Amino acid sequence: MHSAERQTVHRWSLIWAGGLVALVGLILVGLSISASEAWAEVASALGLSLFGWGGVAQLVDGVMLLPAQAAAKQSLPLGSPGFLWSGALAWLVGWGLIASGIRRAPEPTEGPSPAAGAPLYPRLARYRDFYWSTLAAYGGGILLAELVLVLLQTVLSSGVPSTDLSSARDAGGGLSLPPTGAFAIALVVAGLVAFISGFVGASRAQRLALPEATIGVLYLGLPVPILLTLMERIPSLQLALGYRLREVTYVAGLLGRPELAYWLTFTGLVLALVLGINTGFIAAGSGRVDLKLGFELFVARRHVAVFRPSLLLGTLAVLMFGIIPPLLVYFIIRAAEAAVEKTRIRSLGLSDPLAASEALHKLKLREQSPTMMMTALSVGGVGVGVMALIIVLSVMSGFEADLQQKILGTNAHAVVSRYAGDLPEYPKVMETIRKVPGIAGQTPFIINQVMIASEGNVDGVIIKGIDPKTVGDVTDLPRNILGGGSLDILYTPEKILSRGGDEEEAETPAGEGDEAPAEDDIIRRTGPAKKTPVLPGIVIGRELAASLRVVVGDRVNVVSPLGTELSPSGPVPKNRAYRVAAIFYSGMYEYDSKFVYILLKEAQDFFGVQGASGIELKVLDIDDARRIAGQVVKALGGYPYRARDWGEMNKNLFSALRLEKLVMGIILSIIIIVAAGLIVATVIMLVLEKRKEISVLKALGVPDGGIVKIFLAEGLQIGVAGGLLGLFSGLSWCLFIEKVGIKLDPEVYYIPALPVRVEPLQTALAVVIAVLVTYLASIYPALKASSVEPVEGLKAE
């Protein structure tokens, strides 16, 4: 009688011997390469051999190099040819031994079974090991999704996927959506393409078709992310493709690590493909499209009973108040109820033993089964993961928003300047910029690095010449002045109150002014009165004022090492005296300790600048600053003008924050993955408990797809319940932190309390991740449940 299972005989002595010989060969080859110091030359070939198309690419490369090698008659010098050939031979011999150790079992000697020649079950007769159409759907779908993502991102961001710079400038940028918004739209469309491709492929094969999916993803899905990754490493690829993919690389660079962004996006598209494959199998696995879920959801609700009030309220109490207090209250209440019920049953047993036995049986039925306990733990695990993810990401978003507010309050949203030189024509440039839509304010500036000195200290700072009339339209500097001061004091430096003991005095000729004669304290000689000299004003930060030990009215000296002035003793650095007119506080230590401000005209005279260094801009939508800056450059005619937005000027800082948030989210998602393991165990226990019921359902005609729907619905119920509980508890904790607050030391952290910012998209994404993880975790148990044969399940009944 023929066995239905495939029989394979393993000769483990040959397999282990072959593995050992192959390992020796690999070591010999490595020694040969190390001796010749050729790892740099062979690393690319070895890495390419691991990739699906690597063998074909190496073969083509070798064929193309044969004429050149024949002409040059040279080969790669190797330090130890004997080691190389011995290692290659040992590698081949080892794999040959491994192959000889795996053999198909001999055919049985019995004759054919009585069923030989009978017509096969139609579904079994139509079964095929491999579907080329499914492979085309999976592989072509993932490749098409990647191309759609790249092209749609380029079109939505720039509107002109052209290599001609002049045509791109004249076209006006097409749709020109913000890069992040364009990426979100492109990712959704590409995900839908991958999902539909997976659905169509699985519907065609009426099974998951894992070999086709694996080959399609490896051979057709990997080339695009690998190419983008290599583009960041190979300058020639960057020159060839960098301009065409500039919008894609810009969005990827927002994380600071473009390669990480490429592979995360690829993982998301593969996930969409997997969801489409699973959905297509469920919908058409029985040979016809069946999207109805009413019966399956009813059975799933009865099986797990996730949405019981007692389970939900108990899990919510644990999430809100911790594990110990709710469990203590729970066990106390349950112990008291059990003691009261058992006392009642004993009393009842004295008068009616049969009724007492029935009451005792009902009491045991009310006790939770192991599966119910696992369900409660799974819901709690998912809830804890979602709650932790929401709280941590909201706090990090609060820090990011606070930092962004302080940076954009001190700096501009965009800066227009020349590639080289200053802007002597800045009034005309400002008139042109004023006509660009989206501009909320602009102000000219001059910026340079100088030394500032007082009687107490010396420090290096960045000095900025500003226009007090327009600087408030761009930055928060006028609102950051301490003590109710104003920048208008820079126009009237004679009104700055000075301290009498720390400034130089200038003599006033006799007969001028109304001052009374003053007596010299040292030589006791009466002379003309002296008055304080009028010095231009300067605005400094609070931290710098503390470092220099100055207050409003004190004198400071600004020294520029970039220029010199002639003096009787020779050239000396430029030196100007200023009087502290005001002190500002922005909340950022780097700005409060390194920035000083003077009048634009004073900066022009001090540095010898005709015009301004650039023009700072404020835009209506900070997320659209990059596009608006590009429109400003187009309005100015392009070169020699340039514009940089706030994201580009602070790229490293915000990229580090985004990368930190991403890594923290991935780490915290591990909690949900651990809970997914509990879900797998819970659903498997349900399968083991309900084998009889599964067999009855299949005997009644429920297809495999229907069984899969039931157990996927059970896993999804756990995920949805845990996600909703985690959402509610996470938002509650965020509200508590925001209203009550976790106090911080302002002197250390520059903020009085822990900031919280709940972002709707980010919060919804945490719940979606939990539901997706639980859905994926339920696929394997659901497939195991669908493989239960009715005869096996009913054999013991």
Side-chain angles (χ1 to χ4, degrees), residues 212-481:
E212 292 89 332
T214 304
I215 295 174
V217 171
L218 290 181
Y219 280 79
L220 297 176
L222 284 179
V224 172
I226 289 178
L227 180 64
L228 293 175
T229 303
L230 292 178
M231 189 180 67
E232 301 294 332
R233 305 289 183 181
I234 302 177
S236 59
L237 280 178
Q238 182 67 35
L239 290 175
L241 301 175
Y243 178 76
R244 293 180 175 88
L245 302 176
R246 65 188 185 278
E247 299 298 337
V248 176
T249 55
Y250 173 78
V251 175
L254 294 178
L255 281 180
R257 297 291 302 272
E259 302 90 345
L260 180 61
Y262 298 146
W263 288 103
L264 285 176
T265 305
F266 171 72
T267 303
L269 294 179
V270 172
L271 178 60
L273 179 69
V274 171
L275 293 177
I277 292 172
N278 192 65
T279 306
F281 168 70
I282 294 173
S286 59
R288 58 185 179 86
V289 178
D290 181 15
L291 300 177
K292 297 179 181 179
L293 296 174
F295 173 73
E296 289 82 2
L297 290 177
F298 169 76
V299 175
R301 285 197 302 268
R302 294 294 302 271
H303 271 190
V304 291
V306 171
F307 295 99
R308 290 175 296 151
S310 59
L311 187 148
L312 296 179
L313 292 177
T315 305
L316 182 61
V318 171
L319 295 178
M320 295 296 297
F321 304 108
I323 297 177
I324 303 300
L327 287 183
L328 286 177
V329 174
Y330 173 77
F331 285 123
I332 290 173
I333 294 175
R334 288 300 302 270
E337 288 180 348
V340 171
E341 185 66 17
K342 289 180 180 179
T343 302
R344 186 187 68 82
I345 292 174
R346 288 194 190 97
S347 301
L348 181 62
L350 297 177
S351 59
D352 190 349
L354 186 60
S357 177
E358 184 180 356
L360 184 61
H361 179 68
K362 291 181 178 179
L363 178 62
K364 291 180 179 180
L365 288 178
R366 286 201 301 267
E367 294 179 356
Q368 287 188 346
S369 66
T371 302
M372 291 300 177
M373 183 60 67
M374 290 292 293
T375 301
L377 291 176
S378 301
V379 173
V382 175
V384 168
V386 173
M387 180 185 69
L389 201 57
I390 290 175
I391 294 174
V392 172
L393 294 183
S394 297
V395 171
M396 296 187 69
S397 296
F399 276 109
E400 182 180 3
D402 181 77
L403 184 63
Q404 178 177 320
Q405 180 183 0
K406 290 176 179 178
I407 289 177
L408 296 182
T410 304
N411 292 331
H413 295 172
V415 174
V416 177
S417 61
R418 284 176 175 263
Y419 280 97
D422 301 318
L423 284 174
E425 73 283 9
Y426 76 90
K428 180 181 177 181
V429 172
M430 293 178 67
E431 286 295 329
T432 304
I433 295 176
R434 190 173 289 110
K435 302 175 183 178
V436 177
I439 299 296
Q442 54 180 328
T443 182
F445 71 95
I446 295 176
I447 193 168
N448 224 321
Q449 294 182 345
V450 296
M451 299 289 291
I452 187 168
S454 67
E455 293 184 357
N457 204 352
V458 180
D459 205 345
V461 296
I462 297 175
I463 192 169
K464 200 170 184 180
I466 59 173
D467 180 11
K469 295 180 180 178
T470 59
V471 71
D473 298 335
V474 178
T475 69
D476 294 336
L477 179 62
R479 293 177 286 278
N480 292 336
I481 302 299

Side-chain angles (χ1 to χ4, degrees), residues 426-734:
Y426 76 90
K428 180 181 177 181
V429 172
M430 293 178 67
E431 286 295 329
T432 304
I433 295 176
R434 190 173 289 110
K435 302 175 183 178
V436 177
I439 299 296
Q442 54 180 328
T443 182
F445 71 95
I446 295 176
I447 193 168
N448 224 321
Q449 294 182 345
V450 296
M451 299 289 291
I452 187 168
S454 67
E455 293 184 357
N457 204 352
V458 180
D459 205 345
V461 296
I462 297 175
I463 192 169
K464 200 170 184 180
I466 59 173
D467 180 11
K469 295 180 180 178
T470 59
V471 71
D473 298 335
V474 178
T475 69
D476 294 336
L477 179 62
R479 293 177 286 278
N480 292 336
I481 302 299
L482 298 178
S486 173
L487 293 177
D488 294 336
I489 193 68
L490 296 177
Y491 290 119
T492 56
E494 66 276 2
K495 296 182 180 179
I496 302 175
L497 299 178
S498 61
R499 297 203 301 173
D502 57 355
E503 65 276 316
E504 293 182 356
E505 295 178 341
E507 293 187 0
T508 302
E512 293 185 9
D514 299 329
E515 293 84 355
E519 184 177 354
D520 194 294
D521 291 336
I522 299 178
I523 60 176
R524 300 293 180 185
R525 185 180 62 186
T526 302
K530 301 175 182 180
K531 70 176 184 178
T532 302
V534 176
L535 300 177
I538 188 171
V539 180
I540 67 176
R542 191 181 74 172
E543 299 296 336
L544 181 62
S547 175
L548 298 177
R549 304 186 187 95
V550 296
V551 296
V552 174
D554 285 346
R555 168 178 169 160
V556 294
N557 291 326
V558 174
V559 181
S560 173
L562 300 179
T564 58
E565 294 178 334
L566 294 178
S567 69
S569 59
V572 296
K574 285 186 178 180
N575 183 14
R576 293 288 186 275
Y578 292 88
R579 196 172 303 283
V580 178
I583 295 176
F584 71 90
Y585 175 70
S586 66
M588 283 284 289
Y589 177 83
E590 289 78 7
Y591 296 147
D592 294 342
S593 62
K594 292 299 179 183
F595 273 81
V596 299
Y597 300 91
I598 60 176
L599 276 177
L600 183 67
K601 184 178 182 304
E602 293 290 340
Q604 291 172 343
D605 296 340
F606 184 49
F607 294 108
V609 174
Q610 298 295 326
S613 300
I615 300 172
E616 293 183 320
L617 306 178
K618 183 178 182 179
V619 300
L620 297 176
D621 184 5
I622 60 174
D623 295 327
D624 202 18
R626 181 170 180 263
R627 184 192 65 82
I628 296 176
Q631 295 296 326
V632 168
V633 174
K634 292 176 183 178
L636 294 175
Y639 187 84
Y641 298 102
R642 62 180 298 194
R644 295 180 298 163
D645 65 298
W646 64 273
E648 182 181 356
M649 292 186 289
N650 302 278
K651 180 180 179 181
N652 293 334
L653 177 60
F654 287 103
S655 296
L657 286 175
R658 296 187 189 100
L659 184 60
E660 183 180 1
K661 185 191 293 186
L662 175 64
V663 173
M664 189 65 67
I666 293 175
I667 293 174
L668 291 175
S669 297
I670 296 176
I671 302 176
I672 303 177
I673 296 175
V674 172
L678 291 175
I679 293 173
V680 173
T682 301
V683 180
I684 288 179
M685 291 180 67
L686 281 171
V687 172
L688 296 176
E689 284 185 2
K690 306 297 182 181
R691 286 176 64 89
K692 180 182 68 175
E693 288 80 357
I694 296 172
S695 301
V696 171
L697 289 175
K698 298 190 74 171
L700 292 176
V702 177
D704 292 346
I707 302 298
V708 172
K709 288 179 187 178
I710 291 174
F711 286 93
L712 282 180
E714 293 176 355
L716 273 177
Q717 287 184 47
I718 296 175
V720 171
L724 293 178
L725 291 177
L727 174 65
F728 181 80
S729 56
L731 293 179
S732 300
W733 277 108
C734 289

Side-chain angles (χ1 to χ4, degrees), residues 34-179:
S34 299
S36 61
E37 298 181 354
W39 281 110
E41 289 78 5
V42 303
S44 59
L46 292 177
L48 189 62
S49 64
L50 300 177
F51 179 59
W53 295 105
V56 177
Q58 289 175 338
L59 179 62
V60 173
D61 189 29
V63 171
M64 294 177 64
L65 289 178
L66 281 177
Q69 289 179 350
K73 293 184 179 180
Q74 294 180 353
S75 59
L76 182 66
L78 293 174
S80 302
F83 279 174
L84 177 64
W85 291 110
S86 300
L89 182 60
W91 175 264
L92 294 176
V93 170
W95 279 106
L97 290 174
I98 293 174
S100 63
I102 304 174
R103 286 289 182 266
R104 178 72 65 86
E107 292 290 336
T109 58
E110 295 86 353
S113 68
L120 291 175
Y121 178 60
R123 183 177 175 187
L124 182 60
R126 294 194 306 267
Y127 181 83
R128 294 171 56 186
D129 290 332
F130 196 87
Y131 285 89
W132 287 101
S133 59
T134 301
L135 173 62
Y138 292 167
I142 190 68
L143 179 60
L144 179 62
E146 293 169 345
L147 296 178
V148 166
L149 177 63
V150 172
L151 295 177
L152 198 58
Q153 167 70 23
T154 303
V155 171
L156 293 179
S157 295
S158 63
V160 184
S162 171
T163 57
D164 186 3
L165 181 61
S166 61
S167 63
R169 181 174 61 245
D170 297 338
L175 295 176
S176 297
L177 296 178

